[in-house]
Amino acid sequence: MSVVDIHQGRSPIILGLPHTGTDVPPEIWERLNDNGQLLADTDWHIHELYAGLLSDATTVRATFHRYVIDANRDPSGTSLYPGQNTTGLVPETDFDGEAIWKEGEAPTEKDIAYRLQHFHAPYHAALAAEIDRVKAIHGVAILYDCHSIRSHIPFLFEGKLPDFNIGTDMGKTCDPAVEAIAVDVTSAAEGYTSILNGRFKGGWTTRHYGQPDKGVHAIQMELAQCTHLKTETPPFAYDDDKAAKLRTHLKTILTRMEDFALALRP
């Protein structure tokens, strides 16, 4: 099983897709309980949602599920949101705080070390290599990390999540102009709600790679799944009509970010 799928493009934009994968090795699958085997916390259909929006963008997609190991968590295990409910490097619960492993089958430290080496590290090696390649072409790279989550998850946040959730770690991970593009497009999108650095401020990927002083800009977009799914419960079906409407705004964001990056070229 290839743990990462890479499509190389010549655009300065790189799409990171750490949570759309649903592959679980059999020896791990059999340790998940019935709840875990629902794979409910997948970023359902996000790779389909973004497909073709920017024809020459690079994509780096983890094929493994986040229950194997979460490619958007600090490999040290440090929490992204200290003091708040969240899930860890190898989650023990789902987003509702419910157990996902059979009794006595939760991953051990040895399991975690193995998964870091064989899943987490290869994904980030591929992502880092693509950032370096794109930056070598343009002198700049923009990593746009693609995510989605259910719009109502009381364990993680109160009420309904905004439709567009932009994360830049309080402006640290990208040029203000990159952040402004996302804010301007989403705030003007009729019928949608949006927020900057609300409940989601950018995961480890955004925080780790975003070094605007070195020409690498990173931004996370967390979409509420009600914007593109027919239902946020099984079978998590894609809604073509909702998605078509949403894709117009996502395309505008990516196109404007690409234009910004190209304008920076020496």
Side-chain angles (χ1 to χ4, degrees):
M1 178 181 76
S2 174
V3 302
V4 58
D5 180 67
I6 304 163
H7 170 78
Q8 291 186 329
R10 300 282 296 180
S11 169
I13 305 297
I14 300 161
L15 303 180
L17 297 156
H19 291 155
T20 69
T22 55
D23 289 347
V24 181
E27 66 274 15
I28 297 177
W29 177 262
E30 66 186 16
R31 294 170 63 178
L32 289 166
N33 62 23
D34 289 345
N35 181 49
Q37 290 182 358
L38 291 175
L39 305 182
D41 298 332
T42 306
D43 290 13
W44 296 105
H45 306 289
I46 283 294
H47 54 301
E48 183 177 356
L49 182 69
Y50 280 93
L53 291 181
L54 205 60
S55 61
D56 212 18
T58 292
T59 60
V60 181
R61 176 178 178 253
T63 61
F64 55 91
H65 194 264
R66 68 190 305 160
Y67 291 170
V68 176
I69 193 166
D70 193 328
N72 198 34
R73 293 292 185 270
D74 189 326
S76 73
T78 301
S79 176
L80 293 171
Y81 299 100
Q84 299 183 56
N85 286 342
T86 187
T87 54
L89 179 62
V90 176
E92 294 189 8
T93 69
D94 64 12
F95 288 160
D96 294 314
E98 300 296 329
I100 59 174
W101 302 98
K102 293 176 181 175
E103 188 72 26
E105 294 289 353
T108 64
E109 290 299 317
K110 183 178 179 181
D111 292 329
I112 294 170
Y114 178 88
R115 297 180 199 183
L116 275 169
Q117 180 181 355
H118 293 278
F119 296 91
H120 193 284
Y123 173 77
H124 283 285
L127 186 57
E130 291 309 308
I131 291 171
D132 289 345
R133 182 184 64 83
V134 166
K135 188 173 178 245
I137 297 171
H138 299 285
V140 62
I142 297 178
L143 172 61
Y144 179 103
D145 218 36
C146 310
H147 295 262
S148 75
I149 195 168
R150 284 178 285 141
S151 57
H152 289 88
I153 305 180
F155 182 69
L156 298 183
F157 50 82
E158 294 182 3
K160 183 180 182 294
L161 193 70
D163 298 316
F164 295 102
N165 299 266
I166 304 159
T168 64
D169 196 21
M170 309 308 290
K172 298 174 187 174
T173 65
C174 64
D175 188 285
V178 174
E179 181 182 89
I181 289 168
V183 171
D184 290 349
V185 174
T186 57
S187 61
E190 186 175 352
Y192 294 94
T193 56
S194 63
I195 193 168
L196 171 65
N197 291 315
R199 176 60 180 85
F200 299 98
K201 297 177 175 62
W204 184 76
T205 302
T206 304
R207 302 183 201 191
H208 178 69
Y209 294 103
Q211 301 180 62
D213 58 323
K214 296 181 180 179
V216 179
H217 308 271
I219 188 166
Q220 177 173 310
M221 180 66 77
E222 188 90 49
L223 298 168
Q225 291 180 345
C226 60
T227 61
H228 57 283
L229 297 187
K230 291 182 179 179
T231 174
E232 298 176 73
T233 55
F236 306 103
Y238 191 67
D239 189 311
D240 291 314
D241 291 336
K242 284 184 180 180
K245 180 182 176 185
L246 180 62
R247 277 168 56 87
T248 62
H249 302 298
L250 298 175
K251 183 178 179 65
T252 300
I253 292 170
L254 295 177
T255 302
R256 286 182 56 183
M257 286 185 181
E258 182 179 57
D259 290 344
F260 167 79
L262 292 174
L264 293 178
R265 292 181 64 178

